[in-house]
Amino acid sequence: MARYAMTIDTRTCMGCTSCVVACKVENQVDTPFFRNCVVQQISGEFPDLRLVNIRENCNMCSEAACVANCPTGASHIEPKWGLVEIDESLCTGCKACIAACPYDARFINRKGYAEKCTFCLPRLKEGLDPACVATCPCQAITVGDLKDPSSKIASLLAMRKYWTLKPEAGTQPNVFYLE
Amino acid sequence: MNPSEVSVIGANPGISPSLHIWGWEIAAYLFLGGLVAGLLVISGLAHRKSERPAESLAWRGPALVPVLLTVGMVSLFLDLEHKLHFYRFYLAFRITSPMSWGAWILLLVYPASILFALAAVGEFGPKLPGDWDLVTELAAAVRRPLAAVNVALGVALGIYTGILLSSLGARPFWNTPLLGPLFLLSGLSGGAALLILLEPSREAQLRLGMLDVKLIGAESATLALILIGLSSGGAAQRAAAQLVLGGSFTAVFWIAIVMMGLALPATIELFHRFKRAQASFYPAALVLLGGFALRMIILLAGQASRWGTLQ
Amino acid sequence: MERRQFLKIAGFSAGALAAGGGAWMLKPRTRLAGKRYQVNSFCEMCFWKCGITARVEDGRVVKLDGLAEHPLSRGRLCPRGNGGTGLLYDPDRLKTPLIRAGKRGSQYFREASWEEALDYVASRMDTIRKTHGPESMALFTHGSGSSFFVNLMKAYGTPNFGAPAYAQCQGPREVGFQLTYGMGVGEPEATDIANSRFLVLIGSHLGENMHNTQVQEFAEAINHGAKVVVVDPRFSTAAGKANWYLPIKPGTDVALLLAWMNVLIQENLYDRQYVEAYGAGFDRLKQITAGDTPEWAAAITEIPAETIRTVAREMAKEKPSVLIHPGRHTTWYGDDTQRSRAIALLNALLGSWGRPGGFYFPSGVDVPPFPLPPYPKPSRARADGSGTTFPLADQALTSGMRDATVSGNPYPIEGWLVYDTNLLQSLPDPRETVKAIQSLELLAVVDVLPADITGYADVVLPECTYLERYDDLYAATFREPFVALRQPVVEPMYNTRPGWWIARQLGRRLGLGAYFPWNNIEDYLDRRLKSVNLSLAQMKKSGVATFASSEPYIQAGHQFDTPSKKIEFYSNTLEKMGVDPVPRYHPHEEPPQGYLRLLYGRLPMHTFGRTTNNPVLASEAAENEVWISETTAAQFSVKPGQKIRLINQDGVRSDPVKAKVTKRIRPDCVFLAHGFGHHAPRLRLTNGRGASDSDLITRYKTDVLMGATGMNVNFVTIEEA
Ligand SMILES: Nc1nc2c(c(=O)[nH]1)N[C@H]1C(S)=C(S)[C@@H](COP(=O)(O)OP(=O)(O)OC[C@H]3O[C@@H](n4cnc5c(=O)[nH]c(N)nc54)[C@H](O)[C@@H]3O)O[C@H]1N2
Ligand SMILES: Nc1nc2c(c(=O)[nH]1)N[C@H]1C(S)=C(S)[C@@H](COP(=O)(O)OP(=O)(O)OC[C@H]3O[C@@H](n4cnc5c(=O)[nH]c(N)nc54)[C@H](O)[C@@H]3O)O[C@H]1N2
Ligand code: SF4
Ligand code: SF4
Ligand code: SF4
Ligand code: SF4
Ligand code: SF4
Ligand SMILES: [Mo]
């Protein structure tokens, strides 16, 4: 099994939300919902401020709490890509997965099913980059197989310092923020 | 550095910055599930221990169980985003998902408790119109084993309603192993209170009242342990504890749960016992209201609690 | 008039609703999913014109992607470009021609046929031509479809046509650079950001200003480890990337620029060889700026002298790969040409003009125009003051055309044709614009949306969107020159028409058919393309064709197109005009007690006010917020998120708008993203949401050199809403 992961370069990410719009259109995400978002964080005092843009989406956790808590198996690990995916044909809309996700990555769509970032699996299968990765003006996002040492993502993680969101929540997220 | 200013573009309403996915429907379901558990355990044990349990324990309580369970299931059903897909719970059993256990437990509790109700009413209750002889005779034959099964299922149901929430590691307020016991104890206490309301005999009322006082004591201790545990935990747990100890849920927690739901009814019940007075309607009703408030506030506070300082 | 159906604005909503709210995201019917195709074209969600690939499924545009081969997008799009389908499927789009049926601005219209609407406009234009002369007609235009309307105006015989992209945008920068280097920065800006080692952004809020290529290159520069300095009273997104953030007091940039020059010169850090080889008048500059020390500037700019000095030394270390970004929307304080010239001079001292990492010399491709008969020569010169009152202006001044309309001087302007510009939001002091409009004999507006300006129109001509039409070719001067094709991705929806068709129809009705001699637009485009050895058939596939670049960097012996043939450190032209030959700092009026300076700018997901009704983009930001510093908020007792109103020095009140109480702005100013607070009831999603900066910009300072309108000169106070 591959283990697809994502890096986001906080140095170059402008927080422009191009990825958010691209995702919404590509995946026909119901308004008012989004599969990804941009969090702008400010610390310090004017004018010595620090600004970090944190573009968030499903962390494709290795210990996916959403999968563990799903009563039907609708939320599952896609075996080939190592991605957490949702099978709508099994979903009851019980929301256990939403409550279980420390990243608030999910929502219930207008059809009544749980929805979240899929890493654009349909595009990956066609050999395309996810919509957000493809459009990011700053090329701040990389998606690839952690288990493939020759992948761009593996070398980025080898070269750069990185952090993850809420590691203390214990789900072993696979979205890495490059410093 | 801690962020002093956070703005989000693309936040999902009802999810971020705070979660609002479960409301009164789930609180009602958790409450009624607990109540059913309490009724089953207390009356079931009475059936095991005594040849002729008190009226409420003998048949009134057991008879009420399927009704309460139905109302609870309807509440749960109301919350489901995809009601027609209820059946999908039964396409799998998922060991890691308490929601899945719950679905299956409910599937067992329903017929078991109906059978138990029929047996109990058949043996101790008023004569039902129509010809029920065959059913009641059959049930009567298995009433005591049925009682045992219902006790076991009651414990499972009671604990499960707590574990359902405590397994959701994303919400520090829920994420304590004591939530299951707390909900079980609260369910038992609620069950005892409900039985008091159903019980015609003053003697039995007082006995149930004393049982309730003990249960309230145990429940209070568990609640205290949970809060102490949270308060001495990491930052996320401390922040979660603050929700009821010095935050948005503090007033309602202390007034509706601690004072009205636990302290006051226990005091009145003790007082009745001491005075050997007629048990009144009020403490039992307070316990029941407190039990619902407990579910509601834990449900809401849990959704408001989160890991990390981030959105 | 066959249909005397009077429709109030509300009357439109029924039909509009029927078209379906949220229709932009209807799923393609999978049954027919076999019918998929892609079309290459270019974006018009802003004026940058990135290449796009549109994915179409069953006749619906499902997604727009960046066109990989296009030099401006390089496969990537900004949020607005990604949201283009939201415009195409906006249920509030103009759907059919409208003719006014009430007082101007009353928003009463009736639907009309194209025949009737075009006849109406043409007959009024004909009357104006006959009674006042063709010069009394003016065209306000912007965007890719402009050329056909400009052609119409030239054929008609008026010299009065122009875009707000000059007097409300880049004009001062272009003139400031022309004075210095003999050429402007151009568009797309010839800034070599990608190769820059040291990038100074003076108000250029890249990251919020989402001109795609600029932002892409900004990220590249950061990736290469370029140092970044951001000078802005507001801690912008770009400031978040800066090694030095200088929270300058608004309106004092000239002092900072002079001090930087002073340090470079006094400490001998400037590019002496370059200055000697290419410069003229350096000694005068040196002499004039001798007193402009960092200490002097510190008192004015409120930036510590040490910081000014340090940054100057640091930039000198990286010369000539230093880019003091010239900005784009430079119409701030009325002395903007001089400020832009100061930026040009600072770049010259660092030797960055024509150097890697500074400015490159863009390459162009000459695509000859379609052969047309000669245009008539207007008998009167432009009415806007361009080239006369404002001697250095070399393009039309929209504000000048408006002023002439109001005053009737130098001659009356009686008709406005407005194409692709929302004058009520883009010109300062909308009250004055309304006054001008009320005096007109004809206001015809070509738009895709029922924008504010359409509410005042006599006739509204609905154009189809950029995804449904051909436009003229885009022949760009850039690093590598290219020609790009705008072509229809899907058939026009509703009863809408492309701009070229509208212009030609008007031309024919006015007896100017000879100026539109082509059989159809395809022939027109094909003929132009053939002149550069391309063809329409080929371009319909590729969408873009690139050409060989000429030398991008300066070569020994380079001659500048200035009077001295050198970089003019000292401008005799300016001296003769009686203005500072070397930019000097002149203080601007300060906000009175209790008032704050109103600053404005961009949100990354919106383009002015033209995208705020776009359902996709509005889902990210449906309204704007006023940025107020924590201290100022405390003074005015404003709480975060509270609804407030801004009241300007002339007593104009804004609509209620949320307060964003923030650490990210100086206490002496507030900031509002432009483009909200529409007064356009048929823009149902955005009408009345947020506050309009334009409404509050009732004052502006006109640049004496070239007539641009400095708009950062308004002061506001705060009231609870
Ligand atoms: N107060 C204030 N004023 C400003 C600015 C500011 O920041 N604040 N910015 C200034 C700057 S930098 C500029 S460049 C100008 C820009 O000013 P404008 O050129 O007026 O730009 P927009 O505001 O985008 O208005 C464009 C209009 O064209 C319509 N439109 C969109 N697409 C099409 C199309 O395909 N065809 C047709 N026919 N119409 C279309 C839109 O609906 C809208 O009504 O404004 C300037 N004025
Ligand atoms: N997303 C998006 N991007 C756009 C556009 C859009 O509509 N939307 N429009 C495009 C167009 S046509 C243009 S012209 C550009 C405009 O964008 P730019 O040329 O980058 O910026 P301006 O509008 O000139 O300036 C706005 C910035 O200047 C700061 N500022 C205000 N006053 C002062 C001052 O006195 N001194 C200094 N140093 N800074 C000051 C403000 O805080 C703000 O950050 O954006 C382009 N890009
Ligand atoms: S598109 Fe890229 S730069 Fe923009 S917010 Fe997303 S990740 Fe950041
Ligand atoms: S981020 Fe949330 S939804 Fe995504 S895998 Fe982790 S727990 Fe599941
Ligand atoms: S909402 Fe759907 S995916 Fe989520 S836990 Fe329930 S059944 Fe599983
Ligand atoms: S990977 Fe796909 S689904 Fe996930 S955020 Fe990016 S575009 Fe959306
Ligand atoms: S910068 Fe954005 S909106 Fe402008 S043309 Fe490019 S993609 Fe379109
Ligand atoms: Mo502009």
Side-chain angles (χ1 to χ4, degrees):
Chain A
M1 181 173 91
R3 169 59 73 188
Y4 267 66
M6 181 183 277
T7 55
I8 292 155
D9 193 338
T10 57
R11 205 169 54 175
T12 47
C13 171
M14 299 282 168
C16 71
T17 73
S18 204
C19 50
V20 179
V21 184
C23 177
K24 195 170 172 75
V25 178
E26 174 83 35
N27 298 302
Q28 297 166 329
V29 179
D30 295 336
T31 293
F33 299 111
F34 300 93
R35 289 186 183 184
N36 56 359
C37 66
V38 175
V39 178
Q40 229 177 30
Q41 267 190 47
I42 298 286
S43 49
E45 287 301 324
F46 189 82
D48 300 313
L49 295 170
R50 205 174 106 79
L51 179 155
V52 196
N53 295 312
I54 307 169
R55 180 220 117 103
E56 294 187 19
N57 48 265
C58 169
N59 280 266
M60 295 295 175
C61 308
S62 297
E63 293 295 328
C66 53
V67 172
N69 278 282
C70 175
T72 66
S75 285
H76 64 282
I77 308 276
E78 209 285 339
K80 182 154 175 262
W81 303 79
L83 292 172
V84 175
E85 299 291 334
I86 300 168
D87 181 348
E88 286 195 349
S89 73
L90 291 177
C91 180
T92 60
C94 71
K95 297 175 281 194
C97 55
I98 300 181
C101 170
Y103 301 101
D104 292 342
R106 296 172 164 244
F107 59 92
I108 295 284
N109 62 24
R110 280 206 254 169
K111 287 184 289 173
Y113 301 123
E115 182 173 329
K116 68 171 188 78
C117 160
T118 60
F119 270 24
C120 284
L121 187 58
R123 283 178 64 99
L124 289 177
K125 286 179 176 165
E126 285 180 40
L128 299 167
D129 273 335
C132 57
V133 177
T135 212
C136 173
C138 305
Q139 294 181 293
I141 322 165
T142 305
V143 160
D145 184 5
L146 279 186
K147 292 191 178 157
D148 172 5
S150 67
S151 66
K152 186 178 165 205
I153 194 163
S155 69
L156 275 173
L157 289 173
M159 271 161 30
R160 301 270 301 269
K161 278 198 193 162
Y162 58 84
W163 44 274
T164 57
L165 288 170
K166 307 183 187 179
E168 66 277 20
T171 58
Q172 296 187 27
N174 286 310
V175 173
F176 303 96
Y177 294 86
L178 305 176
E179 273 180 14
Chain B
M1 264 192 282
N2 267 342
S4 53
E5 232 176 281
V6 177
S7 58
V8 188
I9 290 170
N12 284 327
I15 306 287
S16 175
S18 65
L19 198 64
H20 286 294
I21 51 171
W22 287 331
W24 67 265
E25 298 92 338
I26 291 293
Y29 162 68
L30 294 175
F31 169 66
L32 291 167
L35 210 53
V36 162
L39 289 176
L40 287 179
V41 172
I42 298 173
S43 60
L45 285 175
H47 279 251
R48 298 287 302 176
K49 275 205 265 177
S50 139
E51 282 305 320
R52 173 79 227 186
E55 192 81 335
S56 63
L57 297 162
W59 69 273
R60 293 190 181 179
L64 198 55
V65 163
V67 179
L68 294 178
L69 200 56
T70 305
V71 178
M73 298 275 274
V74 168
S75 304
L76 177 65
F77 186 73
L78 283 181
D79 174 75
L80 274 193
E81 299 289 342
H82 226 296
K83 309 204 177 356
L84 289 180
H85 292 162
F86 195 78
Y87 71 91
R88 290 178 177 177
F89 280 108
Y90 300 106
L91 298 179
F93 171 66
R94 308 263 313 155
I95 188 85
T96 54
S97 160
M99 184 82 90
S100 179
W101 303 353
W104 287 101
I105 290 175
L106 285 171
L107 200 67
L108 299 178
V109 169
Y110 227 121
S113 68
I114 290 175
L115 281 180
F116 183 46
L118 285 174
V121 172
E123 186 120 346
F124 304 114
K127 183 107 185 68
L128 294 174
D131 184 14
W132 290 82
D133 290 355
L134 202 70
V135 183
T136 48
E137 266 165 40
L138 206 75
V142 291
R143 178 177 59 84
R144 284 171 52 91
L146 256 182
V149 168
N150 274 286
V151 170
L153 285 174
V155 172
L157 181 63
I159 292 193
Y160 137 74
T161 58
I163 291 188
L164 173 65
L165 297 183
S166 71
S167 72
L168 299 168
R171 315 292 151 190
F173 192 86
W174 292 339
N175 195 10
T176 148
L178 288 176
L179 208 60
L182 175 74
F183 277 21
L184 178 62
L185 286 166
S186 165
L188 287 169
S189 151
L194 189 57
L195 288 166
I196 294 174
L197 296 180
L198 299 174
E199 180 56 53
S201 134
R202 198 182 73 169
E203 211 44 45
Q205 278 180 356
L206 288 175
R207 259 184 285 123
L208 284 166
M210 277 324 288
L211 173 65
D212 200 23
V213 169
K214 286 180 206 140
L215 289 168
I216 288 176
E219 185 187 343
S220 308
T222 313
L223 193 55
L225 282 177
I226 289 176
L227 292 181
I228 291 167
L230 284 176
S231 307
S232 53
Q237 281 83 359
R238 287 201 303 277
Q242 277 307 303
L243 288 168
V244 293
L245 296 180
S248 35
F249 296 98
T250 306
V252 44
F253 174 77
W254 289 101
I255 295 172
I257 298 178
V258 178
M259 311 256 299
M260 311 282 284
L262 297 170
L264 193 58
T267 314
I268 301 177
E269 276 168 349
L270 274 174
F271 178 78
H272 286 154
R273 156 78 203 225
F274 186 64
K275 288 268 178 178
R276 301 202 58 78
Q278 173 82 39
S280 71
F281 166 81
Y282 298 106
L286 282 175
V287 166
L288 290 174
L289 285 176
F292 178 73
L294 180 80
R295 305 302 190 292
M296 194 71 203
I297 281 159
I298 288 187
L299 194 72
L300 293 178
Q303 293 180 76
S305 77
R306 54 184 45 251
W307 288 95
T309 41
L310 281 182
Q311 291 290 320
Chain C
M1 272 179 262
E2 58 289 39
R3 284 218 274 158
R4 265 220 160 266
Q5 184 190 8
F6 285 76
L7 295 164
K8 196 175 163 47
I9 313 96
F12 278 89
S13 41
L17 276 174
W24 59 274
M25 58 181 180
L26 284 182
K27 300 252 182 201
R29 282 156 300 162
T30 37
R31 197 163 47 83
L32 292 170
K35 283 169 89 189
R36 294 186 187 192
Y37 59 95
Q38 302 203 341
V39 182
N40 295 339
S41 184
F42 63 88
C43 181
E44 188 80 10
M45 292 299 284
C46 84
F47 303 111
W48 193 255
K49 309 185 198 67
C50 298
I52 55 172
T53 297
R55 278 187 262 151
V56 186
E57 291 182 22
D58 308 325
R60 279 191 80 79
V61 183
V62 293
K63 178 73 177 55
L64 303 168
D65 297 318
L67 176 56
E69 296 75 23
H70 196 285
L72 293 184
S73 55
R74 300 188 282 180
R76 291 164 262 151
L77 298 179
C78 85
R80 304 159 296 153
N82 268 299
T85 48
L87 171 67
L88 178 62
Y89 299 121
D90 186 339
D92 291 348
R93 271 178 61 177
L94 291 171
K95 301 190 175 80
T96 194
L98 301 174
I99 292 181
R100 186 161 60 81
K103 282 204 306 251
R104 270 211 185 102
S106 67
Q107 306 266 3
Y108 278 86
F109 293 97
R110 64 183 173 79
E111 295 183 356
S113 66
W114 275 101
E115 255 338 273
E116 186 192 2
L118 291 165
D119 284 347
Y120 184 115
V121 177
S123 78
R124 292 273 180 107
M125 281 178 74
D126 191 40
T127 313
I128 290 171
R129 176 164 64 180
K130 286 186 183 124
T131 47
H132 307 282
E135 302 84 4
S136 288
M137 198 55 217
L139 167 70
F140 295 80
T141 184
H142 206 167
S144 311
S146 293
S147 69
F148 298 104
F149 289 92
V150 169
N151 178 48
L152 175 69
M153 288 295 115
K154 286 181 176 168
Y156 177 86
T158 176
N160 294 309
F161 47 86
Y166 190 71
Q168 282 72 45
C169 182
Q170 328 159 24
R173 178 193 75 190
E174 293 305 279
V175 175
F177 274 69
Q178 281 155 8
L179 283 165
T180 311
Y181 297 111
M183 69 185 278
V185 178
E187 182 188 3
E189 283 78 12
T191 46
D192 198 8
I193 302 176
N195 297 310
S196 187
R197 304 288 319 144
F198 199 100
L199 178 62
V200 182
L201 300 175
I202 301 175
S204 294
H205 53 330
L206 296 180
E208 290 156 299
N209 161 350
M210 278 308 293
H211 275 169
N212 193 354
T213 329
Q214 294 264 309
V215 176
Q216 292 188 12
E217 293 199 19
F218 183 26
E220 274 172 58
I222 294 169
N223 246 338
H224 297 160
K227 299 252 166 47
V228 177
V229 176
V230 169
V231 183
D232 199 312
R234 182 183 66 97
F235 191 87
S236 57
T237 295
K241 307 291 177 194
N243 303 74
W244 293 273
Y245 164 58
L246 312 186
I248 196 165
K249 178 173 169 179
T252 64
D253 298 84
V254 175
L256 173 68
L257 292 160
L258 289 171
W260 275 341
M261 288 192 245
N262 172 286
V263 177
L264 293 180
I265 297 170
Q266 299 304 319
E267 300 190 5
N268 227 333
L269 300 171
Y270 66 97
D271 190 334
R272 167 166 289 212
Q273 259 184 324
Y274 179 94
V275 168
E276 278 170 4
Y278 303 113
F282 170 76
D283 293 336
R284 307 288 297 274
L285 173 83
K286 180 174 178 177
Q287 188 192 340
I288 291 170
T289 58
D292 302 343
T293 61
E295 285 68 22
W296 163 79
I300 296 168
T301 60
E302 298 180 7
I303 300 168
E306 229 13 73
T307 311
I308 298 178
R309 197 167 266 121
T310 308
V311 170
R313 288 172 183 160
E314 292 289 331
M315 66 174 83
K317 281 187 200 158
E318 302 291 348
K319 69 174 183 289
S321 294
V322 181
L323 177 65
I324 318 296
H325 196 288
R328 180 174 172 106
H329 172 68
T330 40
T331 51
W332 291 354
Y333 298 98
D335 61 349
D336 307 301
T337 302
Q338 290 285 20
R339 187 185 66 254
S340 296
R341 185 165 138 71
I343 292 174
L345 291 175
L346 182 58
N347 278 299
L349 289 177
L350 293 159
S352 68
W353 182 261
R355 292 291 202 40
F359 294 83
Y360 61 84
F361 294 139
S363 312
V365 46
D366 185 30
V367 186
F370 196 97
L372 296 176
Y375 294 119
K377 199 176 152 14
S379 52
R380 290 175 287 187
R382 281 168 166 172
D384 59 358
S386 172
T388 48
T389 319
F390 304 107
L392 298 181
D394 65 353
Q395 288 185 34
L397 306 167
T398 37
S399 32
M401 296 199 293
R402 178 187 69 184
D403 295 348
T405 308
V406 173
S407 68
N409 288 319
Y411 51 85
I413 303 243
E414 297 296 348
W416 285 12
L417 181 55
V418 176
Y419 175 80
D420 195 359
T421 168
N422 189 9
L423 295 177
L424 288 172
Q425 282 207 330
S426 44
L427 293 182
D429 199 357
R431 302 175 305 183
E432 198 66 11
T433 310
V434 170
K435 201 157 135 195
I437 290 172
Q438 297 294 15
S439 77
L440 293 173
E441 288 178 17
L442 171 68
L443 173 61
V445 178
V446 186
D447 208 307
V448 291
L449 289 171
D452 312 54
I453 182 74
T454 61
Y456 288 85
D458 303 320
V459 183
V460 180
L461 302 171
E463 190 174 22
C464 50
T465 69
Y466 70 104
L467 295 169
E468 306 163 292
R469 68 179 195 239
Y470 282 110
D471 270 325
D472 212 340
L473 299 172
Y474 175 35
T477 47
F478 191 57
R479 292 172 190 281
E480 43 177 344
F482 62 89
V483 173
L485 176 71
R486 157 84 37 76
Q487 61 175 322
V489 173
V490 286
E491 288 297 305
M493 294 171 70
Y494 317 116
N495 190 19
T496 60
R497 297 283 187 277
W500 62 263
W501 184 89
I502 299 170
R504 184 160 77 157
Q505 287 292 324
L506 288 174
R508 286 182 176 166
R509 281 171 169 73
L510 286 161
L512 306 170
Y515 293 91
F516 298 88
W518 19 282
N519 292 330
N520 54 46
I521 187 73
E522 274 107 345
D523 289 348
Y524 169 91
L525 294 169
D526 196 43
R527 171 133 184 201
R528 288 198 70 200
L529 286 165
K530 291 259 162 68
S531 63
V532 285
N533 294 322
L534 293 168
S535 72
L536 184 61
Q538 191 183 337
M539 286 294 284
K540 282 178 84 159
K541 284 199 204 101
S542 64
V544 67
T546 47
F547 293 76
S549 313
S550 50
E551 175 57 46
Y553 300 121
I554 200 163
Q555 301 298 307
H558 183 88
Q559 296 234 320
F560 290 83
D561 195 10
T562 54
S564 61
K565 302 285 171 231
K566 302 236 170 206
I567 299 171
E568 303 223 318
F569 285 104
Y570 184 92
S571 170
N572 291 315
T573 312
L574 292 179
E575 187 182 26
K576 274 185 221 124
M577 289 173 65
V579 297
D580 298 333
V582 166
R584 307 302 299 143
Y585 171 71
H586 300 283
H588 297 294
E589 189 186 337
E590 304 263 327
Q593 186 66 34
Y595 280 79
L596 309 153
R597 191 180 293 277
L598 173 68
L599 308 180
Y600 53 86
R602 310 281 174 251
L603 285 182
M605 70 293 282
H606 284 298
T607 304
F608 313 110
R610 68 198 285 163
T611 57
T612 53
N613 204 68
N614 178 314
V616 184
L617 299 173
S619 71
E620 285 199 345
E623 56 191 48
N624 57 356
E625 298 173 317
V626 199
W627 295 41
I628 305 172
S629 82
E630 287 175 342
T631 34
T632 308
Q635 265 165 35
F636 285 89
S637 315
V638 171
K639 283 177 266 327
Q642 189 187 339
K643 286 264 182 177
I644 56 172
R645 282 178 202 270
L646 302 177
I647 301 125
N648 81 353
Q649 70 282 331
D650 299 327
V652 172
R653 281 183 149 62
S654 76
D655 284 334
V657 55
K658 261 196 214 145
K660 174 186 168 101
V661 176
T662 174
K663 293 186 195 298
R664 295 176 62 183
I665 191 166
R666 286 172 56 98
D668 54 1
C669 47
V670 293
F671 175 85
L672 200 56
H674 172 59
F676 292 86
H678 285 274
H679 310 291
R682 283 154 60 214
L683 293 175
R684 290 171 300 166
L685 206 52
T686 192
N687 186 48
R689 300 200 69 168
S692 159
D693 61 332
S694 319
D695 284 356
L696 296 167
I697 300 178
T698 50
R699 271 212 316 204
Y700 53 93
K701 280 255 163 17
T702 305
D703 193 311
V704 290
L705 297 176
M706 49 67 67
T709 55
M711 303 195 281
N712 282 12
V713 297
N714 289 268
F715 308 126
V716 293
T717 186
I718 294 169
E719 180 183 86
E720 231 177 89

